[in-house]
Amino acid sequence: MTDAGRRNVRDLRRANRARLLRELYFHGPLSRQDLIQATGLSSASVSNVAADLIEAGVVVEAGAVESEGGRPRILLRVDDARFQVVGIDVGETRIRVERFDLGLREQAATDIPVDGARPDPRQVVAGIAGGLAELTAGTDRRILGVGIGVPGIVRQEPSAVVHGQTVGWDGVPLEELLRAHTGLPLFVDNGAATMGQAEMWFGSGRTTDSAVFLLIGSGAGACLIADGALLRGSSTSAGEWGHTNVEIGGRLCRCGARGCLEAYVGAEAVIARYLEADGAAALAAPGEENALGRIVELAGDSSAAGDAARRVLDETALRIGVGIANLVNLLNPKQVIIGGWAGLAMAPLLPRIREAAREHSLRLPFSQTSIQLGALGPDAVARGAATLPVAAFLASGGASSPTSRRAPAGAG
């Protein structure tokens, strides 16, 4: 057999392993007969691939089920406990580091505070390195890799470089900087993209192949899913929803432009607008999360501070709703899912957001779109980052690939 022939056989075998492994990961436990029906592979192929995966320790037997008129069928499942991954959310107020098993169940977590709205990349790298060292020390499980969700545009040049205009990062070689601290495979992507993948795999987006995931934190971003795949654009910057212009000559955005949506709906902007509306306000608790939570709480008061909070939050809901209407009219998604710590904190605004979106959308596309909150909570970015090494592991048919830094989005 020629080298090309051997490569073709090897590639086919790897593709079959990947197909079967994904089926077991997302839908297992399954019998071999189930796998034949689900994958379209022959009985011999399923038998051979399953044997390979069992021998490699990736798949294990998981009991049996009765079959009609025959022997019980042995169920197979992925051995989630044998492998682990790390997911990291590089936020603008903290770095969240979490270690998961292969099924994305949290095993350990730690938070590292970040100083300032424009964190020094060296401080962030040191924080990530410290969190990794803390969470991986003493574990006896094989760690497949580390996924990292960051604010800004991520380009592979060929290693991951971050262009985070709103946080002052102009071409930061994040992956190269982290290589001095770990030999684990690294996968870096935009935080909204990682959140979207987590929701597609395990959360509110599991039943659709067409969705927009909105990440609202200090700023605002989006992840666009069409036909089950992440829409990245020609320079990987698709999804910068927060920097669509909503008011000519409007408020100054952190990116340097005026009138961006983020300058009205990001937590930093909501807090600033509230302080402008109620100059006597005292948001005593430190930190954006506490301050935004206090504003939402004040909206239930009958005081002057409560009046100011209601006005600001009503405008915020209107702005988010109009921003969603633009997405509905432009992209016609089946779902719009709101996440991020600030988006979830503003959950009481959801009815007004839906109303504003309806008022500013074309009737037909809006009637086919649902608007809801994310199901995975504020750690969805870290969990989504952890899906990146998992996706590479599945795509390789159970052999981790340290050279693969970007994982495809999809529900499986």
Side-chain angles (χ1 to χ4, degrees):
M1 183 182 294
T2 65
D3 287 345
R6 281 191 290 269
R7 282 197 301 273
N8 289 339
V9 171
R10 187 168 58 247
D11 291 346
L12 178 61
R13 194 173 187 84
R14 182 174 58 199
N16 288 345
R17 281 174 59 120
R19 186 186 303 181
L20 190 146
L21 187 58
R22 280 184 64 88
E23 196 67 31
L24 284 174
Y25 183 81
F26 288 107
H27 306 294
L30 297 169
S31 70
R32 288 170 177 81
Q33 186 61 38
D34 294 331
L35 289 168
I36 292 168
Q37 295 174 355
T39 64
L41 297 174
S42 69
S43 174
S45 293
V46 167
S47 180
N48 290 336
V49 170
D52 285 348
L53 291 172
I54 291 172
E55 183 179 358
V58 176
V59 168
V60 294
E61 293 184 351
V65 292
E66 294 295 330
S67 63
E68 294 182 5
R71 293 182 300 175
R73 293 179 180 175
I74 303 299
L75 296 176
L76 304 176
R77 65 170 177 81
V78 176
D79 190 358
D80 292 342
R82 182 171 181 178
F83 305 95
Q84 297 199 344
V85 291
V86 176
I88 301 175
D89 174 8
V90 179
E92 298 179 36
T93 59
R94 65 173 183 172
I95 300 168
R96 176 76 170 173
V97 184
E98 298 185 56
R99 178 163 51 83
F100 301 89
D101 69 9
L102 193 61
L104 276 297
R105 289 172 286 269
E106 183 186 299
Q107 307 297 301
T110 187
D111 289 324
I112 299 99
V114 173
D115 297 329
R118 294 186 166 229
D120 186 328
R122 291 169 297 182
Q123 178 200 13
V124 171
V125 168
I128 291 173
L132 268 177
E134 177 185 339
L135 262 60
T136 59
T139 181
D140 60 351
R141 297 292 187 266
R142 178 184 170 195
I143 297 178
L144 299 175
V146 180
I148 307 167
V150 297
I153 300 165
V154 180
R155 301 190 69 181
Q156 310 297 335
E157 301 177 349
S159 62
V161 175
V162 182
H163 300 262
Q165 192 166 320
T166 59
V167 294
W169 287 18
D170 185 13
V172 172
L174 185 64
E175 183 177 346
E176 181 181 322
L177 294 173
L178 284 170
R179 281 276 163 241
H181 300 277
T182 181
L184 290 169
L186 298 173
F187 303 80
V188 184
D189 208 342
N190 172 267
T194 70
M195 184 196 79
Q197 181 146 301
E199 291 285 354
M200 287 288 285
W201 280 24
F202 302 110
S204 298
R206 292 189 69 176
T207 61
T208 185
D209 60 357
S210 170
V212 175
F213 301 91
L214 305 180
L215 174 61
I216 306 178
S218 298
C223 169
L224 314 176
I225 302 293
D227 296 325
L230 177 61
L231 177 63
R232 291 189 177 274
S234 61
S235 62
T236 73
S237 68
E240 290 293 341
W241 176 67
H243 300 289
T244 52
N245 194 282
V246 295
E247 188 162 326
I248 302 297
R251 296 180 66 90
L252 182 64
C253 180
R254 301 182 305 165
C255 74
R258 288 190 174 274
C260 292
L261 181 62
E262 181 174 299
Y264 297 89
V265 306
E268 184 177 304
V270 174
I271 294 165
R273 289 193 296 111
Y274 173 73
L275 293 174
E276 292 166 9
D278 183 13
L283 302 175
E288 285 185 355
E289 295 185 33
N290 291 325
L292 182 62
R294 179 60 178 153
I295 293 170
V296 173
E297 181 183 341
L298 282 170
D301 290 356
S302 57
S303 61
D307 290 341
R310 282 189 293 276
R311 288 197 305 273
V312 168
L313 291 179
D314 186 68
E315 183 189 354
T316 301
L318 174 61
R319 298 276 188 179
I320 294 173
V322 172
I324 290 174
N326 289 334
L327 293 171
V328 169
N329 292 341
L330 185 64
L331 300 174
N332 189 208
K334 294 177 183 176
Q335 288 183 294
V336 176
I337 296 169
I338 302 171
W341 67 264
L344 297 174
M346 293 188 285
L349 306 183
L350 189 58
R352 177 63 179 123
I353 290 170
R354 286 173 172 152
E355 178 186 6
R358 178 186 59 78
E359 292 169 349
H360 293 85
S361 296
L362 294 171
R363 288 192 297 273
L364 179 60
F366 181 80
S367 70
Q368 299 169 341
T369 302
S370 69
I371 302 170
Q372 57 190 293
L373 297 176
L376 299 180
D379 75 336
V381 173
R383 188 178 299 272
T387 68
L388 302 181
V390 174
F393 182 71
L394 299 177
S396 71
S400 60
S401 174
T403 60
S404 179
R405 298 182 183 89
R406 182 184 301 148

Short mmCIF file of all heavy atoms in Angstrom, two decimals, residues 61-117:
data_model
loop_
_atom_site.label_atom_id
_atom_site.label_comp_id
_atom_site.label_asym_id
_atom_site.label_seq_id
_atom_site.Cartn_x
_atom_site.Cartn_y
_atom_site.Cartn_z
N GLU A 61 -17.55 0.01 29.37
CA GLU A 61 -18.88 -0.58 29.37
C GLU A 61 -19.69 -0.02 30.53
O GLU A 61 -19.15 0.27 31.61
CB GLU A 61 -18.78 -2.10 29.47
CG GLU A 61 -18.14 -2.73 28.22
CD GLU A 61 -18.14 -4.24 28.27
OE1 GLU A 61 -18.45 -4.81 29.34
OE2 GLU A 61 -17.82 -4.87 27.23
N ALA A 62 -20.99 0.12 30.31
CA ALA A 62 -21.86 0.78 31.29
C ALA A 62 -23.13 -0.01 31.52
O ALA A 62 -24.23 0.53 31.50
CB ALA A 62 -22.17 2.20 30.83
N GLY A 63 -23.00 -1.31 31.71
CA GLY A 63 -24.17 -2.13 31.97
C GLY A 63 -24.77 -2.68 30.69
O GLY A 63 -24.16 -2.64 29.62
N ALA A 64 -25.99 -3.17 30.80
CA ALA A 64 -26.66 -3.81 29.67
C ALA A 64 -28.14 -3.50 29.70
O ALA A 64 -28.71 -3.14 30.74
CB ALA A 64 -26.43 -5.32 29.72
N VAL A 65 -28.77 -3.61 28.54
CA VAL A 65 -30.22 -3.46 28.42
C VAL A 65 -30.76 -4.68 27.70
O VAL A 65 -30.09 -5.28 26.85
CB VAL A 65 -30.62 -2.18 27.67
CG1 VAL A 65 -30.26 -0.95 28.46
CG2 VAL A 65 -29.97 -2.14 26.29
N GLU A 66 -31.98 -5.05 28.04
CA GLU A 66 -32.61 -6.19 27.39
C GLU A 66 -32.93 -5.87 25.94
O GLU A 66 -33.29 -4.74 25.59
CB GLU A 66 -33.89 -6.56 28.13
CG GLU A 66 -33.68 -7.07 29.55
CD GLU A 66 -32.92 -8.39 29.59
OE1 GLU A 66 -33.07 -9.17 28.60
OE2 GLU A 66 -32.19 -8.63 30.55
N SER A 67 -32.79 -6.85 25.08
CA SER A 67 -33.18 -6.69 23.68
C SER A 67 -34.28 -7.69 23.36
O SER A 67 -34.43 -8.70 24.04
CB SER A 67 -31.97 -6.92 22.76
OG SER A 67 -31.49 -8.24 22.90
N GLU A 68 -35.04 -7.40 22.33
CA GLU A 68 -36.16 -8.25 21.97
C GLU A 68 -35.66 -9.53 21.31
O GLU A 68 -35.08 -9.50 20.22
CB GLU A 68 -37.11 -7.51 21.02
CG GLU A 68 -37.79 -6.31 21.68
CD GLU A 68 -38.75 -5.62 20.73
OE1 GLU A 68 -38.93 -6.15 19.62
OE2 GLU A 68 -39.30 -4.58 21.11
N GLY A 69 -35.87 -10.66 21.96
CA GLY A 69 -35.56 -11.95 21.38
C GLY A 69 -34.09 -12.26 21.23
O GLY A 69 -33.72 -13.10 20.42
N GLY A 70 -33.22 -11.56 21.98
CA GLY A 70 -31.79 -11.83 21.85
C GLY A 70 -31.07 -11.60 23.15
O GLY A 70 -31.69 -11.41 24.20
N ARG A 71 -29.75 -11.62 23.06
CA ARG A 71 -28.96 -11.39 24.25
C ARG A 71 -29.03 -9.91 24.66
O ARG A 71 -29.26 -9.03 23.80
CB ARG A 71 -27.51 -11.77 23.99
CG ARG A 71 -27.29 -13.27 23.77
CD ARG A 71 -25.82 -13.57 23.55
NE ARG A 71 -25.30 -12.87 22.38
CZ ARG A 71 -24.01 -12.88 22.02
NH1 ARG A 71 -23.13 -13.54 22.75
NH2 ARG A 71 -23.62 -12.24 20.95
N PRO A 72 -28.84 -9.62 25.93
CA PRO A 72 -28.80 -8.21 26.35
C PRO A 72 -27.72 -7.44 25.59
O PRO A 72 -26.67 -7.98 25.26
CB PRO A 72 -28.48 -8.30 27.85
CG PRO A 72 -28.91 -9.67 28.25
CD PRO A 72 -28.66 -10.55 27.06
N ARG A 73 -28.00 -6.18 25.32
CA ARG A 73 -27.05 -5.33 24.62
C ARG A 73 -26.18 -4.60 25.64
O ARG A 73 -26.69 -3.99 26.57
CB ARG A 73 -27.78 -4.31 23.75
CG ARG A 73 -28.53 -4.94 22.57
CD ARG A 73 -29.24 -3.86 21.77
NE ARG A 73 -29.96 -4.44 20.64
CZ ARG A 73 -30.73 -3.73 19.82
NH1 ARG A 73 -30.89 -2.44 20.02
NH2 ARG A 73 -31.35 -4.32 18.81
N ILE A 74 -24.88 -4.66 25.43
CA ILE A 74 -23.94 -3.98 26.31
C ILE A 74 -23.91 -2.49 25.96
O ILE A 74 -23.76 -2.12 24.78
CB ILE A 74 -22.52 -4.56 26.18
CG1 ILE A 74 -22.55 -6.06 26.49
CG2 ILE A 74 -21.55 -3.84 27.11
CD1 ILE A 74 -23.02 -6.38 27.90
N LEU A 75 -24.06 -1.65 26.96
CA LEU A 75 -24.01 -0.20 26.76
C LEU A 75 -22.57 0.29 26.90
O LEU A 75 -21.80 -0.21 27.72
CB LEU A 75 -24.89 0.52 27.77
CG LEU A 75 -26.40 0.24 27.68
CD1 LEU A 75 -27.13 0.93 28.81
CD2 LEU A 75 -26.95 0.68 26.32
N LEU A 76 -22.23 1.30 26.12
CA LEU A 76 -20.92 1.93 26.17
C LEU A 76 -21.07 3.40 26.52
O LEU A 76 -22.07 4.04 26.16
CB LEU A 76 -20.21 1.81 24.82
CG LEU A 76 -20.03 0.41 24.24
CD1 LEU A 76 -19.39 0.51 22.86
CD2 LEU A 76 -19.19 -0.45 25.17
N ARG A 77 -20.09 3.95 27.23
CA ARG A 77 -20.08 5.38 27.54
C ARG A 77 -18.63 5.87 27.57
O ARG A 77 -17.70 5.09 27.73
CB ARG A 77 -20.76 5.67 28.89
CG ARG A 77 -20.02 5.09 30.09
CD ARG A 77 -20.60 5.60 31.40
NE ARG A 77 -19.95 4.99 32.55
CZ ARG A 77 -18.78 5.40 33.05
NH1 ARG A 77 -18.14 6.41 32.50
NH2 ARG A 77 -18.26 4.79 34.11
N VAL A 78 -18.48 7.17 27.43
CA VAL A 78 -17.16 7.79 27.56
C VAL A 78 -16.75 7.78 29.03
O VAL A 78 -17.58 8.05 29.92
CB VAL A 78 -17.18 9.23 27.01
CG1 VAL A 78 -15.83 9.91 27.22
CG2 VAL A 78 -17.55 9.24 25.53
N ASP A 79 -15.50 7.48 29.29
CA ASP A 79 -15.00 7.46 30.67
C ASP A 79 -14.67 8.89 31.09
O ASP A 79 -13.51 9.32 31.06
CB ASP A 79 -13.77 6.56 30.77
CG ASP A 79 -13.35 6.32 32.23
OD1 ASP A 79 -14.00 6.88 33.13
OD2 ASP A 79 -12.38 5.58 32.46
N ASP A 80 -15.70 9.64 31.50
CA ASP A 80 -15.54 11.05 31.85
C ASP A 80 -14.53 11.27 32.98
O ASP A 80 -13.83 12.28 33.00
CB ASP A 80 -16.88 11.65 32.28
CG ASP A 80 -17.86 11.75 31.14
OD1 ASP A 80 -17.42 11.69 29.97
OD2 ASP A 80 -19.07 11.87 31.41
N ALA A 81 -14.51 10.35 33.93
CA ALA A 81 -13.71 10.57 35.13
C ALA A 81 -12.20 10.44 34.88
O ALA A 81 -11.40 10.94 35.65
CB ALA A 81 -14.12 9.58 36.22
N ARG A 82 -11.83 9.78 33.78
CA ARG A 82 -10.41 9.53 33.55
C ARG A 82 -9.65 10.76 33.07
O ARG A 82 -8.45 10.88 33.25
CB ARG A 82 -10.25 8.40 32.53
CG ARG A 82 -8.80 8.04 32.28
CD ARG A 82 -8.65 6.80 31.44
NE ARG A 82 -7.25 6.48 31.24
CZ ARG A 82 -6.82 5.42 30.58
NH1 ARG A 82 -7.70 4.57 30.05
NH2 ARG A 82 -5.53 5.20 30.42
N PHE A 83 -10.37 11.66 32.42
CA PHE A 83 -9.73 12.83 31.81
C PHE A 83 -10.28 14.11 32.43
O PHE A 83 -11.42 14.16 32.85
CB PHE A 83 -9.98 12.84 30.30
CG PHE A 83 -9.56 11.58 29.61
CD1 PHE A 83 -10.48 10.58 29.36
CD2 PHE A 83 -8.25 11.40 29.20
CE1 PHE A 83 -10.10 9.41 28.72
CE2 PHE A 83 -7.86 10.24 28.56
CZ PHE A 83 -8.78 9.24 28.33
N GLN A 84 -9.45 15.15 32.42
CA GLN A 84 -9.89 16.44 32.93
C GLN A 84 -9.42 17.56 32.00
O GLN A 84 -8.50 17.37 31.18
CB GLN A 84 -9.38 16.67 34.35
CG GLN A 84 -9.93 15.65 35.34
CD GLN A 84 -9.82 16.07 36.78
OE1 GLN A 84 -9.09 16.99 37.13
NE2 GLN A 84 -10.57 15.40 37.65
N VAL A 85 -10.09 18.70 32.11
CA VAL A 85 -9.74 19.89 31.33
C VAL A 85 -9.85 21.10 32.25
O VAL A 85 -10.50 21.05 33.30
CB VAL A 85 -10.68 20.06 30.12
CG1 VAL A 85 -10.45 18.98 29.08
CG2 VAL A 85 -12.15 20.09 30.55
N VAL A 86 -9.23 22.18 31.83
CA VAL A 86 -9.30 23.43 32.58
C VAL A 86 -9.94 24.50 31.70
O VAL A 86 -9.61 24.61 30.50
CB VAL A 86 -7.91 23.90 33.04
CG1 VAL A 86 -7.98 25.26 33.74
CG2 VAL A 86 -7.28 22.87 33.97
N GLY A 87 -10.87 25.27 32.27
CA GLY A 87 -11.48 26.39 31.57
C GLY A 87 -11.21 27.67 32.33
O GLY A 87 -11.32 27.71 33.56
N ILE A 88 -10.86 28.73 31.61
CA ILE A 88 -10.49 30.00 32.24
C ILE A 88 -11.27 31.14 31.60
O ILE A 88 -11.32 31.25 30.37
CB ILE A 88 -8.98 30.26 32.11
CG1 ILE A 88 -8.18 29.13 32.78
CG2 ILE A 88 -8.60 31.61 32.71
CD1 ILE A 88 -6.69 29.24 32.60
N ASP A 89 -11.88 31.95 32.43
CA ASP A 89 -12.59 33.15 31.99
C ASP A 89 -11.75 34.35 32.40
O ASP A 89 -11.63 34.67 33.59
CB ASP A 89 -13.97 33.20 32.66
CG ASP A 89 -14.72 34.51 32.38
OD1 ASP A 89 -14.25 35.32 31.56
OD2 ASP A 89 -15.79 34.71 32.98
N VAL A 90 -11.12 35.01 31.42
CA VAL A 90 -10.37 36.23 31.69
C VAL A 90 -11.35 37.39 31.60
O VAL A 90 -11.63 37.90 30.52
CB VAL A 90 -9.20 36.40 30.71
CG1 VAL A 90 -8.44 37.71 31.01
CG2 VAL A 90 -8.24 35.21 30.79
N GLY A 91 -11.89 37.78 32.74
CA GLY A 91 -12.84 38.88 32.79
C GLY A 91 -12.13 40.19 33.08
O GLY A 91 -10.91 40.24 33.25
N GLU A 92 -12.91 41.25 33.16
CA GLU A 92 -12.34 42.57 33.40
C GLU A 92 -12.30 42.92 34.88
O GLU A 92 -11.75 43.96 35.25
CB GLU A 92 -13.13 43.61 32.60
CG GLU A 92 -13.03 43.36 31.10
CD GLU A 92 -13.81 44.36 30.28
OE1 GLU A 92 -13.84 45.54 30.67
OE2 GLU A 92 -14.39 43.97 29.26
N THR A 93 -12.87 42.07 35.72
CA THR A 93 -12.78 42.28 37.16
C THR A 93 -12.11 41.11 37.88
O THR A 93 -11.66 41.25 39.01
CB THR A 93 -14.19 42.48 37.77
OG1 THR A 93 -14.99 41.33 37.49
CG2 THR A 93 -14.85 43.72 37.17
N ARG A 94 -12.05 39.95 37.21
CA ARG A 94 -11.43 38.78 37.82
C ARG A 94 -11.10 37.75 36.76
O ARG A 94 -11.62 37.79 35.64
CB ARG A 94 -12.37 38.15 38.85
CG ARG A 94 -13.62 37.59 38.23
CD ARG A 94 -14.49 36.82 39.17
NE ARG A 94 -15.64 36.25 38.45
CZ ARG A 94 -16.50 35.40 38.96
NH1 ARG A 94 -16.38 35.00 40.22
NH2 ARG A 94 -17.50 34.92 38.26
N ILE A 95 -10.22 36.82 37.13
CA ILE A 95 -9.93 35.66 36.30
C ILE A 95 -10.52 34.46 37.03
O ILE A 95 -10.20 34.21 38.20
CB ILE A 95 -8.41 35.46 36.12
CG1 ILE A 95 -7.79 36.68 35.44
CG2 ILE A 95 -8.14 34.20 35.30
CD1 ILE A 95 -6.27 36.68 35.49
N ARG A 96 -11.38 33.74 36.36
CA ARG A 96 -12.00 32.55 36.93
C ARG A 96 -11.34 31.33 36.31
O ARG A 96 -11.33 31.17 35.09
CB ARG A 96 -13.49 32.54 36.61
CG ARG A 96 -14.26 31.30 37.05
CD ARG A 96 -14.51 31.29 38.53
NE ARG A 96 -15.43 30.23 38.92
CZ ARG A 96 -15.71 29.92 40.18
NH1 ARG A 96 -15.14 30.60 41.17
NH2 ARG A 96 -16.54 28.96 40.47
N VAL A 97 -10.76 30.47 37.15
CA VAL A 97 -10.10 29.25 36.69
C VAL A 97 -10.86 28.06 37.26
O VAL A 97 -11.06 27.97 38.48
CB VAL A 97 -8.63 29.19 37.14
CG1 VAL A 97 -7.93 27.95 36.57
CG2 VAL A 97 -7.88 30.45 36.70
N GLU A 98 -11.30 27.14 36.39
CA GLU A 98 -12.06 25.97 36.83
C GLU A 98 -11.49 24.70 36.20
O GLU A 98 -11.11 24.70 35.03
CB GLU A 98 -13.54 26.11 36.45
CG GLU A 98 -14.25 27.29 37.09
CD GLU A 98 -15.73 27.31 36.79
OE1 GLU A 98 -16.42 26.31 37.09
OE2 GLU A 98 -16.21 28.32 36.24
N ARG A 99 -11.45 23.65 36.99
CA ARG A 99 -11.04 22.34 36.49
C ARG A 99 -12.28 21.45 36.43
O ARG A 99 -13.05 21.38 37.40
CB ARG A 99 -9.96 21.73 37.39
CG ARG A 99 -9.53 20.33 36.97
CD ARG A 99 -8.20 19.93 37.61
NE ARG A 99 -8.16 20.12 39.04
CZ ARG A 99 -8.64 19.26 39.94
NH1 ARG A 99 -9.21 18.12 39.54
NH2 ARG A 99 -8.55 19.50 41.23
N PHE A 100 -12.46 20.77 35.30
CA PHE A 100 -13.64 19.94 35.06
C PHE A 100 -13.21 18.52 34.70
O PHE A 100 -12.10 18.30 34.21
CB PHE A 100 -14.45 20.49 33.88
CG PHE A 100 -14.94 21.89 34.03
CD1 PHE A 100 -14.15 22.96 33.61
CD2 PHE A 100 -16.19 22.17 34.56
CE1 PHE A 100 -14.60 24.27 33.72
CE2 PHE A 100 -16.65 23.47 34.67
CZ PHE A 100 -15.85 24.52 34.26
N ASP A 101 -14.13 17.57 34.90
CA ASP A 101 -13.92 16.27 34.28
C ASP A 101 -14.36 16.37 32.82
O ASP A 101 -14.80 17.44 32.35
CB ASP A 101 -14.64 15.15 35.04
CG ASP A 101 -16.16 15.22 34.94
OD1 ASP A 101 -16.70 16.02 34.16
OD2 ASP A 101 -16.82 14.45 35.66
N LEU A 102 -14.22 15.30 32.08
CA LEU A 102 -14.51 15.35 30.64
C LEU A 102 -15.97 15.66 30.35
O LEU A 102 -16.30 16.20 29.30
CB LEU A 102 -14.10 14.02 29.99
CG LEU A 102 -14.04 14.01 28.46
CD1 LEU A 102 -13.01 15.01 27.96
CD2 LEU A 102 -13.72 12.61 27.94
N GLY A 103 -16.85 15.35 31.29
CA GLY A 103 -18.27 15.67 31.13
C GLY A 103 -18.61 17.08 31.53
O GLY A 103 -19.79 17.44 31.60
N LEU A 104 -17.60 17.89 31.79
CA LEU A 104 -17.74 19.30 32.17
C LEU A 104 -18.45 19.49 33.51
O LEU A 104 -19.20 20.44 33.71
CB LEU A 104 -18.42 20.12 31.06
CG LEU A 104 -17.50 20.63 29.94
CD1 LEU A 104 -16.47 21.59 30.46
CD2 LEU A 104 -16.85 19.49 29.19
N ARG A 105 -18.19 18.57 34.45
CA ARG A 105 -18.62 18.73 35.83
C ARG A 105 -17.46 19.33 36.61
O ARG A 105 -16.34 18.81 36.57
CB ARG A 105 -19.07 17.40 36.43
CG ARG A 105 -20.39 16.88 35.86
CD ARG A 105 -20.68 15.47 36.35
NE ARG A 105 -19.82 14.51 35.68
CZ ARG A 105 -20.14 13.88 34.55
NH1 ARG A 105 -21.32 14.10 33.97
NH2 ARG A 105 -19.31 13.01 34.00
N GLU A 106 -17.74 20.41 37.32
CA GLU A 106 -16.67 21.14 38.01
C GLU A 106 -16.04 20.29 39.11
O GLU A 106 -16.73 19.68 39.92
CB GLU A 106 -17.21 22.43 38.61
CG GLU A 106 -16.14 23.29 39.27
CD GLU A 106 -16.71 24.48 39.99
OE1 GLU A 106 -17.35 25.32 39.32
OE2 GLU A 106 -16.55 24.57 41.23
N GLN A 107 -14.72 20.29 39.14
CA GLN A 107 -13.96 19.58 40.16
C GLN A 107 -13.31 20.53 41.16
O GLN A 107 -13.17 20.22 42.33
CB GLN A 107 -12.86 18.73 39.51
CG GLN A 107 -13.37 17.78 38.42
CD GLN A 107 -14.34 16.74 38.96
OE1 GLN A 107 -13.99 15.96 39.85
NE2 GLN A 107 -15.55 16.73 38.43
N ALA A 108 -12.89 21.69 40.70
CA ALA A 108 -12.25 22.69 41.57
C ALA A 108 -12.28 24.03 40.85
O ALA A 108 -12.38 24.09 39.62
CB ALA A 108 -10.81 22.28 41.87
N ALA A 109 -12.19 25.11 41.62
CA ALA A 109 -12.24 26.45 41.02
C ALA A 109 -11.52 27.44 41.91
O ALA A 109 -11.42 27.25 43.13
CB ALA A 109 -13.68 26.88 40.80
N THR A 110 -11.05 28.51 41.30
CA THR A 110 -10.44 29.59 42.05
C THR A 110 -10.63 30.89 41.27
O THR A 110 -10.75 30.88 40.04
CB THR A 110 -8.94 29.34 42.31
OG1 THR A 110 -8.43 30.33 43.19
CG2 THR A 110 -8.13 29.36 41.02
N ASP A 111 -10.68 32.01 41.98
CA ASP A 111 -10.81 33.34 41.38
C ASP A 111 -9.57 34.16 41.70
O ASP A 111 -9.08 34.16 42.84
CB ASP A 111 -12.04 34.07 41.92
CG ASP A 111 -13.34 33.48 41.40
OD1 ASP A 111 -13.37 33.04 40.24
OD2 ASP A 111 -14.32 33.46 42.16
N ILE A 112 -9.08 34.87 40.70
CA ILE A 112 -7.95 35.76 40.88
C ILE A 112 -8.40 37.17 40.52
O ILE A 112 -8.88 37.41 39.40
CB ILE A 112 -6.75 35.35 39.99
CG1 ILE A 112 -6.28 33.94 40.33
CG2 ILE A 112 -5.61 36.33 40.13
CD1 ILE A 112 -6.79 32.88 39.42
N PRO A 113 -8.33 38.13 41.45
CA PRO A 113 -8.78 39.49 41.14
C PRO A 113 -7.90 40.15 40.09
O PRO A 113 -6.71 39.87 39.99
CB PRO A 113 -8.69 40.21 42.49
CG PRO A 113 -7.71 39.42 43.29
CD PRO A 113 -7.83 38.01 42.84
N VAL A 114 -8.51 41.05 39.32
CA VAL A 114 -7.80 41.82 38.30
C VAL A 114 -7.92 43.28 38.67
O VAL A 114 -9.01 43.76 38.99
CB VAL A 114 -8.40 41.57 36.90
CG1 VAL A 114 -7.78 42.50 35.87
CG2 VAL A 114 -8.19 40.12 36.49
N ASP A 115 -6.79 43.99 38.61
CA ASP A 115 -6.78 45.40 38.98
C ASP A 115 -6.98 46.28 37.76
O ASP A 115 -6.24 46.17 36.77
CB ASP A 115 -5.44 45.78 39.63
CG ASP A 115 -5.21 45.02 40.94
OD1 ASP A 115 -6.21 44.73 41.61
OD2 ASP A 115 -4.04 44.74 41.26
N GLY A 116 -7.98 47.15 37.82
CA GLY A 116 -8.16 48.14 36.78
C GLY A 116 -8.94 47.67 35.59
O GLY A 116 -9.05 46.49 35.30
N ALA A 117 -9.52 48.64 34.86
CA ALA A 117 -10.32 48.33 33.68
C ALA A 117 -9.45 47.93 32.50
O ALA A 117 -9.94 47.33 31.55
CB ALA A 117 -11.17 49.56 33.30
#
